Amino acid sequence: MPVRKSQSGRVGRGKGFGLGLAVGSAFAFGGSGVAAKPLIEAGLDPLHVVWLRVAGAALVMLPLAVRHRALLRERPALLAGFGLLGVAGVQAFYFASISRIPVGVALLVEYLAPALVLGWVRFVQRRPVTRAAAVGVILAVGGLACVVEVWAGLSFDALGLLLALGAACCQVGYFVLSDQGSDSGERAPDPLGVIAYGLLVGAAVLTVVARPWNMDWTVLAGTADMNGTPVSAGLLLAWIVLIATVVAYVTGVVSVRRLSPQVAGVVACLEAVVATVLAWFLLGEHLSAPQIVGGAVVLAGAFIAQSSAPARTSAEPVASGGPERELSAHGNVA
């Protein structure tokens, strides 16, 4: 009996530690847009900010890439897919969208991804989904209508909303990619290795697209305006690379390994809340009461859609959480 009690205590502490990591990961991810927007407004192109983020994180994670170099031979399609969609695509569309619309709105639009995945499952793969999942989709779409205030004729920049939707679609593309071969019984790749190579692939792609040699590097030596307060551009970039990318991804992966994907998905919803609150206080991006209510409905719909995913291994990525959680889920199910 004492042995059982000891084991139970270790499990409880492990889950508590995992929950703390999941919360920390959500806060780290949520702060990326708030730190990036002042750099964009200071004169950097959104694609250049994305390149700096991904290339910087890739350098930090390079030792892990060397350690897991066998992945290049074993899972080249996975690495390419994560790099193109989960890193380059999602980040480029997201940062481009926040240059035109509020950070919180852009992230809430991305939370349509779980609903879009279920649409793919139902209408493309022709697999059944539960009624609860369908309700989650309806809630997410209805909440989004409140967030963008459709009754006012889309008060936000239409292109900015399309860019945010593009980020959600890139996330869906990675979810679908991760579903391929998930029933093959192969050994799951180390998620930290996949992150490292995904960042390297993303950096390579973004180097061609963003052409960083044309970037105004002098911006990084100055300050950026954060709602009237000058902040070192270098400090903002360090936060984006080290905290909002490296720490966020690593803690997210470890938390999913200690918690179920469903629990991690619930905690991941904090990311949108954190981003919205930080943007409110640090950038002065206030949301109206209907938008706040709509955002809560979007998160509720996303949570229901994720937690009601079909109970099979390949569907677990749908339950993995926020816009930047796709790798965490894959590391748990591939």
Side-chain angles (χ1 to χ4, degrees):
M1 185 63 68
V3 174
R4 290 184 180 179
K5 185 175 181 180
S6 176
Q7 290 176 342
S8 175
R10 285 197 297 270
V11 171
R13 288 192 296 272
K15 287 186 176 180
F17 181 63
L19 184 61
L21 288 175
V23 172
S25 180
F27 272 78
F29 274 127
S32 65
V34 175
K37 191 157 188 172
L39 293 177
I40 295 172
E41 293 178 342
L44 289 180
D45 186 275
L47 279 177
H48 289 158
V49 179
V50 176
W51 180 84
L52 287 168
R53 177 186 189 181
V54 174
L59 286 176
V60 175
M61 300 287 282
L62 188 58
L64 281 174
V66 174
R67 178 180 178 183
H68 297 286
R69 55 188 176 275
L71 286 173
L72 286 172
R73 181 184 69 257
E74 298 171 354
R75 298 295 182 93
L78 171 62
L79 302 184
F82 179 66
L84 288 171
L85 299 176
V87 174
V90 172
Q91 303 306 324
F93 277 113
Y94 173 59
F95 277 17
S97 69
I98 65 173
S99 70
R100 308 182 69 96
I101 61 177
V103 170
V105 173
L107 198 52
L108 287 169
V109 172
E110 284 194 50
Y111 265 84
L112 281 180
L116 294 176
V117 171
L118 288 177
W120 173 274
V121 170
R122 178 65 182 88
F123 297 108
V124 178
Q125 296 183 335
R126 298 188 180 279
R127 284 163 34 201
V129 296
T130 64
R131 288 185 178 181
V135 170
V137 171
I138 294 172
L139 284 175
V141 174
L144 182 63
C146 294
V147 170
V148 302
E149 296 183 329
V150 292
W151 57 84
L154 289 178
S155 59
F156 290 113
D157 186 292
L159 179 57
L161 292 174
L162 287 175
L163 290 169
L165 185 60
C169 289
C170 283
Q171 181 188 342
V172 171
Y174 182 75
F175 282 148
V176 172
L177 174 69
S178 68
D179 188 40
Q180 305 303 312
S182 58
D183 296 325
S184 61
E186 297 180 12
R187 183 177 61 86
D190 189 295
L192 293 179
V194 178
I195 289 175
Y197 277 106
L199 289 168
L200 286 172
V201 170
V205 172
L206 288 168
T207 298
V208 176
V209 176
R211 293 180 290 183
W213 48 86
N214 294 329
M215 180 169 44
D216 184 4
W217 292 89
T218 60
V219 173
L220 298 178
T223 60
D225 182 78
M226 184 173 280
N227 196 26
T229 302
V231 180
S232 168
L235 181 62
L236 291 174
L237 179 60
W239 173 274
I240 293 171
V241 172
L242 298 177
I243 305 300
T245 306
V246 176
V247 171
Y249 270 123
V250 172
T251 54
V253 167
V254 177
S255 71
V256 172
R257 286 190 163 188
R258 292 176 176 267
L259 305 170
S260 69
Q262 287 83 357
V263 172
V266 175
V267 179
C269 289
L270 283 174
E271 180 185 341
V273 177
V274 170
T276 302
V277 172
L278 288 178
W280 190 310
F281 285 100
L282 298 180
L283 302 181
E285 296 182 346
H286 297 176
L287 299 183
S288 65
Q291 288 174 321
I292 295 174
V293 173
V297 174
V298 169
L299 296 181
F303 164 63
I304 293 172
Q306 293 172 95
S307 60
S308 303
R312 63 188 292 265
T313 303
S314 61
E316 284 186 3
V318 182
S320 65
E324 296 174 301
R325 293 299 192 280
E326 55 271 34
L327 181 60
S328 299
H330 185 88
N332 201 51
V333 303

